[in-house]
Amino acid sequence: RGALLTDGSAILGGKQEEYRGFSKLNDDGTANTTFNTNAGLLGDDIYSVEAMDTYGNYIIMGGNFGDGNIRKYDLNGNEDTNFGSGVSGTFGTPTFNSIDVIKIQSDGKILVCGFFTTFNSVSNSNRIVRINSDGSEDNDFYDNLGDGFNNEIWTIEVQSDGKILVGGDFSQLDGNARNSLVRLNEDGSEDTTFYTNLTSGVGGKVLATATQTDDKILVGGFF
């Protein structure tokens, strides 16, 4: 996983040497030693960074590395240890609670999706949450999702109007049959008109979505 910054530098995430889950490259491809030194090592047996996004002067990254599986850093690699009250336990233990997608909205709120069933040690089977920039949960968004999704989410895309495309390997949303692709309103409720127009939906796993400049939607996956 990776993200480009406005100065041409890049943040790279994944499984890297010495338990380094992510690092920064300058625009000429050399390592940004200041960032990498400040960020340090994740230092756990499971150290995969699976998702990240940037907004303003900070980076949110998540994956499968323990200690809550999500962290916030500034552009110099310094961790915001106040994010989510230190985030310990936020998304549970790493093995079965990975974060697969992070998207930061234009208002700074953070959409987090993956294969987790708890948030902040409280049962949360929706597999998608929205958190504020300080790590607290947007409870209204959670309430509007109802019972949430019944299987993993692999991709989300925030459209220009604020609506949220969600794709994955699910067959239900809030107890209703929904095959692999839905669109949520900005408040977390379902855009039922969108799914009605899909008729029987997508016949397989959705792994990628993208919105064109004319707002038409591209969908890719195993279908």
Side-chain angles (χ1 to χ4, degrees):
R1 299 293 187 270
L4 290 175
L5 303 178
T6 56
D7 64 359
S9 60
I11 308 294
L12 301 179
K15 286 189 176 183
Q16 301 177 26
E17 293 181 358
E18 298 179 320
Y19 301 108
R20 181 175 297 282
F22 77 136
S23 58
K24 186 175 183 179
L25 300 179
N26 298 313
D27 60 356
D28 63 358
T30 58
N32 187 306
T33 54
T34 299
F35 180 96
N36 296 342
T37 299
N38 289 338
L41 308 178
L42 292 180
D44 293 303
D45 290 335
I46 299 171
Y47 53 98
S48 177
V49 172
E50 300 295 340
M52 66 174 64
D53 202 3
T54 62
Y55 177 84
N57 61 354
Y58 64 84
I59 302 160
I60 304 292
M61 66 91 158
N64 193 8
F65 48 78
D67 293 331
N69 293 325
I70 188 169
R71 294 182 184 177
K72 180 180 180 180
Y73 294 83
D74 66 21
L75 300 185
N76 292 316
N78 300 300
E79 183 181 359
D80 179 355
T81 55
N82 293 318
F83 180 70
S85 300
V87 306
S88 181
T90 300
F91 287 99
T93 54
T95 305
F96 299 108
N97 292 280
S98 64
I99 293 171
D100 298 319
V101 187
I102 291 173
K103 290 285 186 178
I104 305 176
Q105 299 180 165
S106 59
D107 59 2
K109 291 188 176 182
I110 305 156
L111 291 163
V112 182
C113 302
F115 201 66
F116 50 82
T117 56
T118 63
F119 176 79
N120 201 20
S121 302
V122 177
S123 177
N124 183 324
S125 59
N126 286 336
R127 295 180 175 83
I128 178 172
V129 298
R130 186 163 66 190
I131 55 181
N132 300 306
S133 60
D134 63 356
S136 61
E137 185 175 6
D138 181 347
N139 291 308
D140 291 337
F141 184 85
Y142 174 82
D143 291 340
N144 288 331
L145 283 171
D147 291 333
F149 297 90
N150 69 329
N151 211 341
E152 195 159 10
I153 295 169
W154 287 105
T155 178
I156 52 176
E157 184 80 14
V158 181
Q159 298 184 245
S160 59
D161 59 2
K163 292 186 177 183
I164 304 160
L165 289 166
V166 181
D169 194 22
F170 51 83
S171 60
Q172 291 183 5
L173 168 60
D174 194 21
N176 299 312
R178 298 290 185 266
N179 292 327
S180 303
L181 181 67
V182 299
R183 187 164 68 188
L184 303 177
N185 296 309
E186 194 169 3
D187 63 359
S189 62
E190 186 187 0
D191 179 354
T192 54
T193 301
F194 179 83
Y195 194 80
T196 298
N197 289 333
L198 285 175
T199 60
S200 59
V202 180
K205 185 184 301 184
V206 171
L207 298 178
T209 54
T211 304
Q212 300 180 158
T213 55
D214 60 1
D215 289 331
K216 290 184 178 180
I217 300 161
L218 297 170
V219 181
F222 290 120
F223 54 83

